[in-house]
Amino acid sequence: MKSLIIDNCLLLLDNKDAVIFDIITGKIYKCRDSLDRIKQKIKSKSYLNIEHRYIRSQKIEWDDGFLLSVTMCSAETCNLKCKYCYANLGTYNNIDRTSKAIMTFEDYKLFFEKILKIFPRGVVNYTFFGGEPMLGFEEIVKFVEYITDVCEKNNLIKPHFAIVTNGTLIDEYAWEIFEKYHFAVTISLDGPKEVNDRMRIFRDEHQSVFDTVKHNLEKCSGRTHVLVAEATLGEFFLRNYRKNYAREYFDTFINLGFDSVSPYFAEMSNTNYMVTNDANLRDGIKQFYYDLVDYSFELLLDDNKCMSIPNFIASTIINIVTRKEKNVCAAGKKSIFYTASGDVYPCQMYYLSKYKKLGNIADENELKKNIKSYKLISRNEISECKSCFAVSFCNFWCPGASYQFANNEYAVNKVRCIIQKSIGERVIYNLALMFENEEKKAIFIRNLRKLSHLYSWKKFGGNL
């Protein structure tokens, strides 16, 4: 599929089909004509008669009485030594630490007591992160039991719990806790054994990480909580990617028992150089995400499988269909990152760089002042983003990652751009084809409405 930018419009060409995405209005159009005639229509705006109409979503207003999300750095250590780990074996470069590496119940409890002085209604989402958070799982369980009881007795927001883990330490007891408290469980797994074990290895390399995780997944039965895989794609996999393999790759995770998988590129310090100078890598990235989007649209026409599409594809579709602009990252304002030493940062990437520290939980007044005054960066402030057709719905821009890899929050990460543009192009193209068929359109909208409840704390209601 070819893509062109003409007069604030993205033009997508594939065989006889031409799709126009008006970057300013967010509207999508479909036509069949010669390229010259299409260009003339774009310049004269005469394509307006072939508009597919979508409905804009309501504006979501934030409530300052609560914090949307906190990520707890439960352990700044790990039992694996993944070759692409940005956090340096989960230590966040705190190799010569004087503070503890694993968070205790008292650390969690102190945070909870202090954060209520800033956000009196509580916290909506708690995510336990690392390193490997399962290394301190008993302390996590104590906190979850405690906070659940306190919130119920004091009419505070009932919190949702999540954990991001490598999956190697999950036993039957852990699965029982996840089910009891309805955890959203994310396990880092990169694909089939030959793909995963190339990069994800134990510190002593004594056994297969893939086999260990697979064995632990078999201990889970009767699950009703969310289970998602987060896959990191290496350059070898993408450089040698073969067309249409995304379907088989995706189904590998579903067959293991996951609800879905979200695959991301392994970011290294030389990422921008690699994608700029390696055409095979760029082509592999683009084709993989094209294939994954195509398969996601197939799944959206299946009432039994529609909920399994990757979250970043689902949110891209929803943002385009509803024309819901997403120009800022809420980290530092509505979500924060908390460490065992009590330090608070906007997110783990800022903590890795030790940049933009918001304060320490011991001084809630300073922390409150810094959170309230924290300035979010908009993509509209970045020249490369401002001129991009995906600026209003991009999910991949991250100021913390930009600072980590380029020492500049306003820098653009080339591989993230390639990924988001590939997803955006293919979503727009598929939407234009989908909305030509009224029967498919009805199924698609019904299932997209189901998905929309997962990607916003407020429901979209009847906006689709």
Side-chain angles (χ1 to χ4, degrees), residues 294-398:
D294 289 348
Y295 190 33
S296 295
F297 270 78
E298 289 182 34
L299 295 174
L300 275 167
L301 294 177
D302 188 324
D303 290 338
N304 296 318
K305 297 180 179 180
C306 63
M307 304 300 284
S308 65
I309 76 170
N311 61 350
F312 54 79
I313 293 179
S315 57
T316 296
I317 296 171
I318 291 168
N319 288 341
I320 292 175
V321 167
T322 62
R323 299 184 210 158
K324 174 180 174 287
E325 291 193 4
K326 181 183 179 184
N327 287 322
V328 297
C329 171
K333 200 75 172 177
K334 295 306 297 182
S335 65
I336 57 175
F337 185 81
Y338 177 62
T339 71
S341 60
D343 291 335
V344 178
Y345 286 81
C347 73
Q348 67 268 23
M349 300 309 293
Y350 281 109
Y351 177 53
L352 182 63
S353 304
K354 305 301 184 289
Y355 180 60
K356 281 195 170 180
K357 179 180 172 180
L358 294 170
N360 190 283
I361 199 67
D363 188 345
E364 70 271 17
N365 292 324
E366 180 194 15
L367 183 59
K368 179 178 181 178
K369 180 185 70 174
N370 291 338
I371 291 176
K372 297 293 183 183
S373 64
Y374 188 80
K375 181 183 180 297
L376 298 177
I377 299 172
S378 170
R379 285 196 296 275
N380 290 326
E381 300 175 52
I382 304 170
S383 57
E384 287 184 69
C385 293
K386 196 173 181 178
S387 60
C388 177
F389 74 90
V391 65
S392 65
F393 59 80
C394 177
N395 290 297
F396 282 85
W397 175 72
C398 171

Side-chain angles (χ1 to χ4, degrees), residues 392-461:
S392 65
F393 59 80
C394 177
N395 290 297
F396 282 85
W397 175 72
C398 171
S402 293
Y403 187 85
Q404 167 61 24
F405 292 110
N407 204 35
N408 179 4
E409 292 173 285
Y410 294 84
V412 170
N413 187 311
K414 299 296 183 184
V415 71
R416 288 180 178 234
C417 288
I418 292 172
I419 292 172
Q420 183 61 80
K421 286 179 179 179
S422 300
I423 292 171
E425 288 174 0
R426 205 62 183 175
V427 165
I428 290 166
Y429 180 78
N430 274 281
L431 281 171
L433 298 185
M434 181 75 70
F435 276 63
E436 284 189 314
N437 185 303
E438 289 299 322
E439 183 179 354
K440 288 184 177 180
K441 176 181 174 181
I443 299 171
F444 172 81
I445 289 178
R446 181 177 71 234
N447 289 333
L448 195 62
R449 185 177 291 118
K450 296 178 188 176
L451 273 169
S452 70
H453 295 281
L454 297 180
Y455 298 102
S456 172
W457 72 273
K458 282 190 176 180
K459 298 178 180 179
F460 278 54

